[in-house]
Amino acid sequence: MADDSDQVPAVSVKEPLDLVRLSLDERILVKMRNGRRLRGRLHAFDQHLNMILGDVEETVTIVEIDEETYEEIYKEKKRHVPMLFVRGDGVILVSPPGRVGI
Amino acid sequence: MSAVNRKDSLNQFIQQIYGRPVVVKLNSGVDYRGVLACLDGYMNIALEQTEEYENGQLQNKYGDAFIRGNNVLYISTVKRRT
């Protein structure tokens, strides 16, 4: 993941999962269903994207709508888990964090 | 007979769009725009320089983003004009 090449190298086609393997033992960001985001160290994964994450911070984002004013209220809940097994079917996206700006 | 041709043309399409800017739309309606790094038979996608759009622009992800194929509604090429 340290390569900063602008052009696509002319190598044989790899699978997206091969590139996930490059993130092993590194901190990653996982976006999941139900507005959940995980940041942790990727210890293991499989083709279903089941994952073992260590030192994980989970952020759950809920949007509430005020019945009177109809404004959207974003609420975040965080928790820290030392070691976590993630079932792959809830995973939407996996990315190395760092340059993530909101 | 024609099934073999369809398989070839699908592979050809995939070979053609490697390295191109694409739009990936998910079942949830979220939009991802980036350069297609690779793609497999499950529609798992690896994108580079990805931007995420939900209503407005949500996040910028640089580096690689891997999208699980079951969430993908479609992949489309886009001509980037900024």
Side-chain angles (χ1 to χ4, degrees):
Chain A
M1 214 63 72
D3 279 342
D4 269 5
S5 49
D6 296 303
Q7 298 159 358
V8 177
V11 295
S12 58
V13 169
K14 290 185 284 187
E15 290 194 345
L17 291 176
D18 288 340
L19 293 177
V20 177
R21 192 177 306 136
L22 294 179
S23 298
L24 269 177
D25 225 27
E26 302 202 9
R27 293 198 68 83
I28 56 166
L29 164 74
V30 182
K31 193 167 183 235
M32 299 186 60
R33 296 181 190 263
N34 296 324
R36 291 174 195 265
R37 287 168 56 179
L38 303 173
R39 286 173 190 267
R41 186 175 298 274
L42 180 64
H43 289 290
F45 75 100
D46 66 6
Q47 71 273 21
H48 305 289
L49 252 46
N50 295 329
M51 292 181 282
I52 306 279
L53 292 177
D55 193 21
V56 179
E57 182 192 78
E58 176 195 49
T59 307
V60 186
T61 306
I62 314 170
V63 186
E64 286 183 5
I65 302 193
D66 192 326
E67 286 191 6
E68 297 165 16
T69 64
Y70 291 105
E71 61 176 318
E72 295 180 341
I73 308 170
Y74 286 83
K75 287 191 178 173
E76 274 193 2
K77 272 188 186 171
K78 294 197 181 193
R79 66 168 174 159
H80 185 269
V81 181
M83 192 63 72
L84 186 68
F85 175 89
V86 181
R87 191 176 154 86
D89 60 6
V91 173
I92 294 178
L93 176 148
V94 175
S95 174
R99 286 168 283 180
V100 177
I102 300 182
Chain B
M1 290 182 295
S2 55
V4 176
N5 288 338
R6 267 185 237 136
K7 246 189 188 176
D8 285 342
S9 58
L10 274 179
N11 281 333
Q12 277 176 16
F13 170 75
I14 292 171
Q15 293 298 326
Q16 276 174 15
I17 65 173
Y18 273 119
R20 300 225 184 156
V22 291
V23 182
V24 179
K25 191 161 182 103
L26 303 191
N27 294 330
S28 58
V30 183
D31 223 330
Y32 290 89
R33 289 168 192 255
V35 177
L36 184 69
C38 48
L39 169 59
D40 69 8
Y42 294 104
M43 280 185 104
N44 293 328
I45 298 169
L47 287 179
E48 293 171 355
Q49 302 196 358
T50 314
E51 292 166 8
E52 177 185 61
Y53 293 87
E54 183 176 357
N55 306 322
Q57 189 164 356
L58 259 192
Q59 295 184 11
N60 286 325
K61 296 189 211 294
Y62 297 97
D64 292 328
F66 311 96
I67 302 178
R68 198 171 188 270
N70 69 306
N71 299 298
V72 175
L73 185 64
Y74 68 71
I75 308 167
S76 166
T77 52
V78 65
K79 289 191 179 154
R80 269 209 175 135
R81 23 188 182 110
T82 329

